[in-house]
């Protein structure tokens, strides 16, 4: 069975974005971007919310046509375009770029998606969608790219909750730009 893998970049104090959706503090250099390319290219599909999907769809479909795009950006544009995507939204009517719109997080439907034939885990992105998946016990692994910055305010990755979620550390990795990867299994798997 494929796993649901939450992959997100966060500040050291746990925010995915600052006020006004500022992500300019994300430190993504060639080495880190290549890691993302290598990891995401092995996934079976991308799962995201509407905001995340619209942000990605505004840039990546044609990023490889930009003469200033780096080789890793060109590579990721192709990965993103070709990868099956599921966007969870109650308002989005349709989406392009190999994307299926899903209205609600229904655990049985997510289970069926995990059991579909094919290779590659399912990459989850977006804080609001991650909170819903976590509340339903649907996340198997969490991969955090912790950026070397404190931003003090913004949108936290994890909402306040009274639920304890034990994790088991699987891997750490330090990148040259100071970003640290923390890869966890949600305790006991799901």
């Amino acid at each position: 069975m494929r796993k649901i893998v939450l992959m997100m970049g966060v500040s050291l104090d746990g925010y995915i974005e600052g006020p006004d959706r500022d992500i300019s503090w994300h430190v993504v250099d060639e080495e880190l971007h290549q890691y993302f390319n290598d990891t995401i290219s092995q996934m079976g599909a991308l799962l995201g919310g509407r905001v995340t999907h619209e942000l990605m769809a505004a840039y990546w479909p044609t990023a490889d046509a930009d003469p200033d795009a780096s080789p890793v950006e060109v590579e990721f544009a192709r990965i993103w375009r070709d990868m099956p995507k599921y966007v969870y939204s109650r308002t989005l009517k349709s989406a392009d770029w190999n994307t299926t719109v899903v209205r609600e997080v229904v655990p049985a439907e997510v289970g069926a998606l995990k059991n579909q034939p094919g290779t590659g885990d399912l990459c989850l992105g977006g804080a609001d969608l991650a909170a819903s998946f976590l509340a339903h016990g649907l996340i198997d692994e969490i991969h955090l790219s912790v950026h070397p910055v404190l931003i003090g305010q913004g949108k936290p990755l994890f909402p306040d909750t009274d639920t304890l979620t034990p994790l088991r550390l699987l891997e750490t990795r330090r990148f040259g730009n100071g970003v640290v990867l923390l890869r966890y299994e949600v305790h006991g798997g799901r």
Side-chain angles (χ1 to χ4, degrees):
M1 178 186 299
R2 301 188 291 181
K3 295 181 279 191
I4 303 288
V5 178
L6 172 62
M7 282 186 70
M8 293 292 294
V10 296
S11 63
L12 183 59
D13 50 352
Y15 296 101
I16 62 163
E17 59 188 30
D20 299 319
R21 296 203 164 135
D22 177 31
I23 59 170
S24 63
W25 50 269
H26 282 227
V27 183
V28 181
D29 63 2
E30 296 287 315
E31 178 192 20
L32 183 59
H33 207 304
Q34 188 62 60
Y35 167 79
F36 291 144
N37 288 3
D38 295 344
T39 302
I40 293 172
S41 68
Q42 299 303 307
M43 296 288 177
L46 301 174
L47 313 176
R50 180 190 54 81
V51 172
T52 301
H53 179 76
E54 288 177 344
L55 178 70
M56 300 295 280
Y59 180 71
W60 289 110
T62 59
D64 54 344
D66 181 347
D68 295 327
S70 69
V72 292
E73 290 172 318
V74 168
E75 179 184 13
F76 187 77
R78 293 177 185 143
I79 293 167
W80 189 87
R81 262 196 318 266
D82 294 343
M83 181 75 56
K85 290 170 278 303
Y86 295 84
V87 59
Y88 287 79
S89 173
R90 292 184 183 101
T91 58
L92 197 62
K93 301 295 182 219
S94 64
D96 294 326
W97 309 110
N98 200 16
T99 304
T100 301
V101 177
V102 181
R103 296 288 168 220
E104 308 243 352
V105 176
V106 177
E109 292 175 4
V110 174
L113 185 60
K114 288 173 69 172
N115 283 319
Q116 282 182 350
T119 59
D121 293 329
L122 306 172
C123 183
L124 175 66
D128 295 333
L129 187 59
S132 182
F133 270 65
L134 198 56
H136 288 295
L138 297 170
I139 297 177
D140 300 295
E141 287 189 16
I142 299 172
H143 298 194
L144 297 180
S145 300
V146 182
H147 293 257
V149 63
L150 300 170
I151 63 172
Q153 60 181 333
K155 184 176 185 97
L157 173 56
F158 299 110
D160 290 340
T161 180
D162 59 0
T163 303
L164 179 68
T165 305
L167 306 172
R168 184 172 72 87
L169 183 64
L170 299 174
E171 175 188 6
T172 62
R173 178 175 171 182
R174 182 187 183 283
F175 293 90
N177 62 9
V179 169
V180 174
L181 169 71
L182 301 173
R183 190 168 70 89
Y184 292 99
E185 175 184 49
V186 176
H187 186 67
R190 301 270 178 175

